[in-house]
Amino acid sequence: METASPAAPADPAAGAPDWRAILDRLAQRHSCRDFDGSKIDREILAEIVRDGTEAPSSCNLQNWHFIIVTDQERKLRARDISGGNLHFADCSALIFLCFQKGWTHGNFSIAQSVAGAAYHMILSAHLRGFQCIWNAGIGDHGQLRDLLGLPPIFEVQAALAIGRAKPTAPDMKAPRRPFAEVHSWQRFERPAICRYPVKPAKAYPFYRIRNDDNPFAEWNPARWSWDQIGDFRGYAVWAKSPLAGVYVSRRQGAATEVELDLLPDLAPGARLLEVMPWGGTYSVALRQRLDREVELHLAELSEHNLSFILERFRQEALATDRVQASLMRGGILPYPDASMDGVVLAQILEHCPEPEKLLDETRRVLKPGGVLVVSARNLWSRYGWRWARVESRAQIPNQGPFRPIPAPRLRGWLKARFEIDAEIGIGRETVEDAAVLRGRGRFFCRLYAARCVRG
Ligand SMILES: Cc1cc2nc3c(=O)[nH]c(=O)nc-3n(C[C@H](O)[C@H](O)[C@H](O)COP(=O)(O)O)c2cc1C
């Protein structure tokens, strides 16, 4: 007797004959942030939006409204309002997802309804051969209301960008968590690695939690395990595509180059290690300035960061033949003793649960005479004050939790293990400037940075 496959449709006669092929095709969808600027016919855009309206809605009220923006000037304005979503300029259309306020708000059911319709539109666009991305990062709602002529009783939640990918756009899907991590049967179960620490509280009402005001956010990396930090950083890096120039922060300004100016010349064949490069902003700057024959080693807590950075290198047209990416577990550097000529710890110690252990490891892998270039955000600075008063009240950033380190404390850690060869403070302001201070003022800059030698 034949037994039905457990994965077959409920009623094989009623199921679409090519259901497996359709689901496989849908699973290939991934976000695009690099469009070619071409137009899509108005009729096709309307069909995609109409497909979305086949989605279920709470009480069948269909209290959604979709504004399709194709006009280039409006798209440019929407890009500027959004702040970071530069792909708004080159997509064929933006579909603003709106809803009428006043009905079915319990359990966000109006938002759930709009979300269902939005994903249906994305899948429709995908099956038709277009690329898409969902964007909650739309910027200031007041400015958007003016742009879209949206009445106060309607809310705008997000925008879908639809278009055709540039031939060179990354063709990579962001990694998915192992299925076992994200589901359980009958009762809640979830591994500790992906249950992140929060401040202890009796309850965590969602209405108290905002991006810029999260009273439960645990910024102290010492309260996270290495594995939890790696897990968080590894998925969050994919919040953007690995495109050229991604994650160059406004806070940094010209400071990155000043930090890396501390590096000595490294001879061809030398081995330089960058620890915890996250999205690869320093890795790119290093590869650009190092001799082509210098080996660049990258050690991260998650494979996902490493695949992201290697694709970013390709997008930046940088050679990867002398780049080696390795996984680092539990704060242990995966290299033999005395195997590196240089190590770069660029604003990373403040992200570590055990920063002194990482410095011990750094000393272990450096050759005698090898050089450490280290920098850290400084608590004893205007930036540190802002971090304590404003930044650390918000949600944890995608790079993971961190706490600026008082410059004298870091100096003490370095002196206990290395000879300090040069030390500077970088940046008087909270963002952007890269003023270099060498006297006592070095202890009060945004960044404290040093070049150390292993004795
Ligand atoms: C509700 C929502 C909001 C999002 N907002 C943005 C955004 O503002 N900017 C952006 O670049 N990506 C945004 N994304 C895209 C996600 O980063 C992306 O879906 C995720 O990294 C998974 O990658 P994939 O879509 O390629 O599978 C958003 C996705 C969702 C579901």
Side-chain angles (χ1 to χ4, degrees):
M1 196 181 81
E2 274 187 23
T3 50
S5 149
D11 175 358
D18 45 357
W19 62 274
R20 187 66 267 170
I22 295 171
L23 287 176
D24 287 346
R25 181 73 200 274
L26 296 185
Q28 287 165 8
R29 178 220 57 86
H30 60 79
S31 294
C32 172
R33 297 181 182 85
D34 202 15
F35 296 102
D36 70 0
S38 62
K39 292 191 183 340
I40 298 178
D41 287 350
R42 211 179 146 93
E43 295 72 36
I44 298 176
L45 290 169
E47 277 181 31
I48 290 170
V49 174
R50 189 180 304 124
D51 287 340
T53 62
E54 295 296 343
S57 67
S58 174
C59 299
N60 194 36
L61 277 173
Q62 302 163 57
N63 262 334
W64 48 44
H65 189 88
F66 306 105
I67 305 175
I68 310 166
V69 173
T70 51
D71 172 61
Q72 188 58 14
E73 267 188 31
R74 276 171 202 271
K75 284 193 287 154
L76 290 176
R77 179 80 189 111
R79 176 201 61 188
D80 295 345
I81 294 173
S82 85
N85 281 323
L86 305 181
H87 48 268
F88 283 13
D90 293 325
C91 63
S92 311
L94 288 169
I95 301 171
F96 281 92
L97 311 177
C98 311
F99 64 81
Q100 183 159 197
K101 292 181 274 190
W103 290 269
T104 61
H105 284 262
N107 290 332
F108 301 111
S109 48
I110 182 67
Q112 294 189 43
S113 306
V114 178
Y119 192 49
H120 203 124
M121 288 176 206
I122 288 181
L123 295 180
S124 165
H126 171 68
L127 286 177
R128 294 163 189 266
F130 300 111
Q131 283 74 39
C132 224
I133 180 165
W134 191 324
N135 308 272
I138 48 177
D140 180 71
H141 281 215
Q143 293 181 45
L144 269 179
R145 267 181 200 289
D146 289 347
L147 180 71
L148 302 171
L150 197 67
I153 191 65
F154 279 77
E155 191 60 68
V156 55
Q157 269 187 300
L160 306 182
I162 298 191
R164 297 181 186 86
K166 273 193 194 140
T168 50
D171 189 19
M172 298 173 82
K173 185 162 172 135
R176 291 307 192 256
R177 293 183 176 283
F179 182 53
E181 271 187 14
V182 294
H183 82 291
S184 56
W185 296 85
Q186 323 315 345
R187 285 179 60 77
F188 178 82
E189 282 168 40
R190 193 171 163 100
I193 187 175
C194 53
R195 293 177 69 171
Y196 304 132
V198 285
K199 294 221 172 94
K202 278 205 181 98
Y204 298 89
F206 66 81
Y207 52 81
R208 294 283 316 279
I209 299 172
R210 295 176 11 165
N211 290 10
D212 60 348
D213 182 12
N214 181 348
F216 311 114
E218 181 51 87
W219 281 72
N220 184 355
R223 304 222 171 88
W224 292 55
S225 70
W226 283 99
D227 283 349
Q228 284 170 323
I229 289 178
D231 189 85
F232 187 87
R233 287 161 62 88
Y235 291 108
V237 74
W238 289 89
K240 292 284 169 197
S241 303
L243 289 165
V246 67
Y247 294 132
V248 175
S249 82
R250 197 172 86 77
R251 176 175 61 79
Q252 275 292 69
T256 308
E257 294 300 329
V258 177
E259 289 170 74
L260 295 182
D261 282 346
L262 287 168
L263 265 177
D265 283 342
L266 290 166
R271 291 156 62 91
L272 179 72
L273 165 64
E274 185 194 351
V275 181
M276 292 169 67
W278 194 62
T281 297
Y282 285 93
S283 323
V284 165
L286 282 167
R287 192 62 283 177
Q288 282 164 343
R289 60 161 63 206
L290 291 173
D291 183 287
R292 217 197 152 301
E293 300 296 322
V294 171
E295 281 179 25
L296 178 61
H297 293 257
L298 307 173
E300 247 299 348
L301 302 175
S302 164
E303 291 281 6
H304 304 323
N305 295 85
L306 299 172
S307 56
F308 184 96
I309 294 170
L310 291 177
E311 174 62 19
R312 178 172 175 181
F313 267 55
R314 278 187 278 278
Q315 292 286 331
E316 310 240 7
L318 289 169
T320 50
D321 54 332
R322 285 187 180 70
V323 178
Q324 285 190 34
S326 306
L327 193 60
M328 140 192 190
R329 298 296 309 276
I332 304 293
L333 296 175
Y335 308 97
D337 296 359
S339 55
M340 293 291 163
D341 299 282
V343 174
V344 174
L345 299 176
Q347 301 190 40
I348 218 53
L349 288 170
E350 58 270 44
H351 281 277
C352 292
E354 300 161 295
E356 289 197 86
K357 174 174 164 180
L358 186 57
L359 285 173
D360 289 339
E361 275 292 288
T362 301
R363 193 182 138 73
R364 179 183 68 72
V365 301
L366 270 175
K367 296 175 183 169
V371 172
L372 162 66
V373 168
V374 57
S375 65
R377 281 157 276 194
N378 179 12
L379 193 63
W380 286 15
S381 66
R382 289 170 80 163
Y383 167 73
W385 187 88
R386 204 190 128 73
W387 175 87
R389 295 290 165 107
V390 182
E391 202 172 320
S392 65
R393 305 226 161 137
Q395 68 181 14
I396 301 292
N398 284 344
Q399 293 92 331
F402 72 90
R403 294 183 91 170
I405 304 171
R409 183 182 303 165
L410 174 53
R411 185 170 192 266
W413 292 347
L414 297 174
K415 275 191 83 173
R417 295 166 177 86
F418 305 95
E419 284 162 28
I420 298 180
D421 183 38
E423 50 179 329
I424 52 175
I426 307 172
R428 287 196 183 90
E429 305 301 329
T430 53
V431 288
E432 219 162 358
D433 83 301
V436 173
L437 274 73
R438 291 202 160 75
R440 234 183 94 65
R442 70 189 187 282
F443 290 129
F444 305 103
C445 288
R446 185 168 79 247
L447 297 172
Y448 169 80
R451 179 174 62 226
C452 306
V453 179
R454 186 209 193 285

